[in-house]
Structure formats: structure tokens, C-alpha cells
Amino acid sequence: MRYIYTIAFILCTTWACRAQHYNLLHLEARFLENNYALLAQKFDIGRAEAQVVQEKLWPNPTLAISEVNLWSNRTTETLPRLFGNYGRGQQISVELEQLIETAGKRSKRVAIKELEHRTSVYTFEELVRELKKELRQTYYQLSSLSQEKTQLTELVDLFTQLNDQYGRQAVLENVSKVDRYRVQSELVTLRKELTDLESEISTYLEVLRVLTGLNGLSLSQLALVTDGNQTIKALPADILTIALDQNIGLKRQTLQVEQAGKELQLEKAQRKPDLTLQLGYDRGGNIMQDFIGLGVSMDLPVFNRNKGNIKAAAYQLEKEETTKQALKWELENAVVRLQGQLMRYQSALAAWPLDGVREQLDILNRYRKHLQAGQVTLIEFIDFTQATRDAQKAYLDTWENYNITYEELQYLVGKDF
């Protein structure tokens, strides 16, 4: 009995998993949890943090041991023993050096690494927003294609029935073979369109599987948005100000300008020579048998005052500032363009004589009865079905473009409205 309960539990769990439906919020949660591109990008942030810690460390001191004689000759002076009877003729020199950087070079390098860390964070945020935009746009594209598939499937079923009827009537010579071939040709065309549509749906489903990590995701598991429950979304009044303040690309470029300024400061600091402090011990090699001395060394900035690197860093700073202004100008124009395009889509959707897919199919079924009653010709019926489908597809395309443009605008602004 215990095994029966176990099997029943497994079957119920499997059925529940298969029956689970994912709306857009569920997909985004799985995306943030399972996306491998995001998990890989997090390692770059950790690496940048480690580089900041590394840059804060002082350089290690240098220990040098030299002038160690392996043997002595008759000219050797007698020295005190080191331990036991050893060391009466042993010479040795020990020197300890420590580099002291001047002009705040170390703190300037730390500041540069901290900016690189912030750049890594912005790069991660940009990747999140870009992939989230792709996920949302794919979701709305699947919503549109799903509705189109519903209509197209109904039309294929309708013309399949007509093809069977016209086939039987053609054998009885009640209808012409031309009409039968016309119905048959329309059916073949619709079936090809349905096959192409299913292939396109499969491609978008594969995108969702990769983004969310849901390998077995199918169209039936998606709680898709339909044209009937789609509402017009409001835009903030100060959208351009928000874009200039929140756009990830512009924020990252601002960091690039700041980093170029810090690198220019570092190159200027490189003109000042560093100091090397020295502490030395010499046994048997100086005027004293045990000599301890202090010293300092530094480069003389006679031939190289780092002018070339300073000039190159100044040019890089000007380049980054120019790039920032170009990105700002491009962002302003893109926001205005997308906002205007979105408003045009809103006007078109608001003015559209909205009939649901089910209502249109009911109209087609009634029109089919007129065909069977001889009140309309076959050509008129086919033209009507094509016109109905073209109108519905035009609406779905407009609805899809509206949502895709809205997500593009949110990504560009850098904030969800």
C-alpha cells in the first residue's frame, strides 16, 4: 500500500508541474533565478571587488642577502663567532627595501578600480534589463501569435469541412471542379501558413526556455495576454528627465568620463619619483665589523617626465566626454521617437473596431451558411475570410508593436513605469 501512495504522489506532483501556468511575472522570476548569462556576469562583479581589495595593499618589502663568502683565505680578518666556533671568517650583507609611492599614486589607482567595479555593476544591470526586455517582448509576440494561431486553426477546420463537402458534391457533379480546386487551394495555403506560424511560435518558445531555464515550457503552459484584456499603459510626464537620469548606458559612460579623469590624475602623479627606503646590515665588509646603515633612493626626472602618457590620458578624457554628449543626444532623440511612435499605436488601437477572435469566427460561420444557401458565391466567401483574417492580423500586429515599443522605451529609460 505504501508503494501505491508513493506512485500516486509522484503522479500528482508530475501532473501539477505540467499543469502549472506561467504569466509574465512568473517568467521574470524564473529568469532572475535561472539565467546562466546573469550568473556568469555576477563573477565579473566579484572579480572587480577583489581587484579593489588588491589595489589597496602596499607593495611588499624586498629582502636581499649578498656578499656571503663560501670560504676564507689568509688575508681574512678575524671576526666574532656567530654561533659555536662558526663565523670567525664569515662575511654577509643583508638589505631591506620598501617602496614609498608619492603623490597619492596608490589612492588614485584604488579610485580607478572602484570605478571599474561600479562599471561592472552597471554592466550587470544593463544585461538584466536587456534580457528582461527580450523576455517581455517575446512574451507579447507569443501572445499575438497564439491568437493568430487560434483564428488560423479555426479557418483550417472550416475549409477542411468545405473541402470535404465540395469533394463529395464534385463527384455528384453538383458543383464545378473549379470551385473544388479553389477551396482546395485555399486550404493548402492556410495549412502552409499554419505550419509557418507554428514554426515561429516554436522559435519564440525556445527563446523563453533559454531565458528562464524552463526546458519543457510549452505554449499551453503560458498564461498569455490577449487583445481583450490589454489596457493602454500611461507614460510619466517627465519621461525625458527620467531617461537622462536612469539610462544605464549613459550612467556607465559618465563613469567612463570620471575614470578617464582619474587616470589623467594618475599619469600626472607619475611625474613625481617614488622613494625607496633602505635598511642594511653588513658584517665584515665595512669600516665596522657589524655595520647598520640607512639609505634612500629615487629616480631623477631628467629625461622622462611622463609627458606622452599625460597627453594621451588628456585625449582619452576628451574622447569620453565627447562620447557622453553623443550618447545623451542619441538618447534624447530615441526617447522622443519611441514616445511619438507609442502614441500613434495607442491612437490606432483606441480607434480600432475591436471584435474578438470568437466573434469573428461566429460571423464566418454565419457567412458560411449564406454560402451553402447560395446567397453568396464561393469567391465572395473566400474574399471575406481573407479580408477578416487580414484585418485581425493587422490589429494583432499593431497590438504587438505597441507592447514591443513600450518595452523598448522602458529599457531605454532605464526604469519600469
Side-chain angles (χ1 to χ4, degrees):
M1 182 65 67
R2 183 179 58 185
Y3 297 106
I4 296 177
Y5 286 141
T6 303
I7 295 174
F9 174 77
I10 295 174
L11 292 176
C12 291
T13 304
T14 304
W15 178 83
C17 293
R18 291 182 177 178
Q20 183 176 2
H21 284 74
Y22 299 95
N23 59 22
L24 186 55
L25 293 179
H26 296 149
L27 293 175
E28 289 182 2
R30 291 302 186 102
F31 156 72
L32 294 175
E33 180 182 355
N34 299 330
N35 189 269
Y36 290 107
L38 299 184
L39 298 177
Q41 188 66 38
K42 288 182 180 179
F43 290 108
D44 285 343
I45 297 178
R47 177 177 56 83
E49 290 176 350
Q51 289 177 343
V52 173
V53 174
Q54 179 64 33
E55 205 61 54
K56 291 180 179 179
L57 302 178
W58 282 70
N60 290 326
T62 302
L63 176 66
I65 301 177
S66 61
E67 300 182 10
V68 179
N69 58 314
L70 300 179
W71 59 84
S72 59
N73 54 34
R74 56 188 177 182
T75 63
T76 302
E77 298 180 7
T78 302
L79 302 174
R81 291 174 295 179
L82 290 175
F83 51 87
N85 293 323
Y86 177 77
R88 292 182 178 277
Q90 184 64 50
Q91 179 181 341
I92 188 172
S93 177
V94 180
E95 187 175 54
L96 184 65
E97 293 184 350
Q98 176 64 55
L99 176 66
I100 305 297
E101 293 183 301
T102 60
K105 297 185 183 71
R106 187 172 65 90
S107 62
K108 290 179 173 61
R109 288 198 302 271
V110 171
I112 292 174
K113 290 300 180 181
E114 288 175 345
L115 289 174
E116 291 178 354
H117 170 253
R118 290 173 59 190
T119 300
S120 298
V121 173
Y122 282 149
T123 301
F124 175 75
E125 292 180 4
E126 187 175 35
L127 178 62
V128 171
R129 295 203 64 86
E130 184 175 353
L131 294 180
K132 187 181 290 187
K133 178 195 70 171
E134 183 180 2
L135 183 145
R136 291 174 175 177
Q137 290 180 338
T138 303
Y139 174 80
Y140 287 119
Q141 287 167 332
L142 280 173
S143 297
S144 175
L145 292 175
S146 175
Q147 295 178 79
E148 187 177 350
K149 179 184 176 183
T150 299
Q151 183 196 38
L152 193 54
T153 301
E154 292 287 347
L155 284 177
V156 168
D157 293 341
L158 175 61
F159 273 89
T160 299
Q161 296 174 10
L162 283 178
N163 184 60
D164 294 340
Q165 293 175 3
Y166 273 73
R168 291 192 297 270
Q169 295 299 321
V171 172
L172 299 175
E173 297 183 352
N174 292 330
V175 298
S176 66
K177 292 184 178 180
V178 174
D179 287 346
R180 183 201 172 186
Y181 291 147
R182 185 70 181 89
V183 173
Q184 195 175 47
S185 299
E186 186 67 18
L187 177 60
V188 170
T189 301
L190 290 174
R191 282 177 175 171
K192 179 185 181 303
E193 292 180 3
L194 182 59
T195 301
D196 295 340
L197 188 63
E198 290 174 342
S199 178
E200 192 174 0
I201 290 175
S202 177
T203 300
Y204 286 124
L205 279 174
E206 182 63 27
V207 173
L208 280 188
R209 295 188 191 110
V210 172
L211 289 174
T212 61
L214 298 171
N215 294 327
L217 187 66
S218 63
L219 188 64
S220 60
Q221 292 179 283
L222 295 177
L224 298 170
V225 178
T226 62
D227 54 2
N229 57 13
Q230 170 67 45
T231 58
I232 299 298
K233 306 168 185 176
L235 296 178
D238 55 344
I239 186 171
L240 189 57
T241 303
I242 297 175
L244 294 176
D245 184 59
Q246 296 291 331
N247 180 263
I248 299 297
L250 191 59
K251 290 166 72 173
R252 187 172 57 182
Q253 184 58 35
T254 301
L255 284 184
Q256 293 297 320
V257 173
E258 189 175 349
Q259 181 176 337
K262 295 293 184 182
E263 289 175 349
L264 177 59
Q265 295 177 10
L266 178 61
E267 294 299 340
K268 289 181 178 179
Q270 296 289 356
R271 294 180 300 187
K272 298 181 180 180
D274 298 328
L275 302 178
T276 302
L277 301 182
Q278 301 167 340
L279 174 64
Y281 166 74
D282 194 347
R283 169 183 166 87
N286 212 309
I287 58 175
M288 304 178 192
Q289 290 185 355
D290 294 293
F291 174 81
I292 298 177
L294 299 176
V296 62
S297 66
M298 60 178 291
D299 292 335
L300 297 178
V302 177
F303 303 108
N304 181 6
R305 292 184 57 82
N306 208 34
K307 290 183 178 179
N309 289 334
I310 293 174
K311 195 170 184 179
Y315 282 134
Q316 183 66 26
L317 176 59
E318 292 179 2
K319 174 187 174 182
E320 298 297 345
E321 289 176 342
T322 303
T323 302
K324 179 183 176 180
Q325 293 301 320
L327 286 177
K328 183 179 179 181
W329 179 84
E330 183 179 346
L331 175 62
E332 292 174 347
N333 283 274
V335 169
V336 172
R337 175 180 58 82
L338 289 177
Q339 188 178 12
Q341 187 173 339
L342 197 64
M343 296 301 294
R344 288 190 291 272
Y345 285 141
Q346 287 181 355
S347 299
L349 291 175
W352 207 285
L354 183 60
D355 290 325
V357 174
R358 178 54 54 190
E359 287 79 2
Q360 292 184 359
L361 291 175
D362 291 340
I363 294 175
L364 284 177
N365 286 325
R366 289 197 298 269
Y367 209 71
R368 176 190 172 186
K369 294 179 180 179
H370 294 324
L371 172 66
Q372 293 174 339
Q375 297 175 350
V376 295
T377 65
L378 177 63
I379 298 300
E380 290 175 336
F381 178 77
I382 293 177
D383 288 343
F384 179 76
T385 57
Q386 291 177 346
T388 302
R389 182 168 180 270
D390 290 342
Q392 178 67 9
K393 189 176 187 311
Y395 173 80
L396 290 176
D397 288 344
T398 305
W399 177 82
E400 177 185 327
N401 291 333
Y402 167 78
N403 286 283
I404 289 178
T405 304
Y406 187 86
E407 295 302 331
E408 189 71 34
L409 189 59
Q410 284 195 129
Y411 165 74
L412 202 60
V413 172
K415 180 181 178 181
D416 290 345
F417 306 141

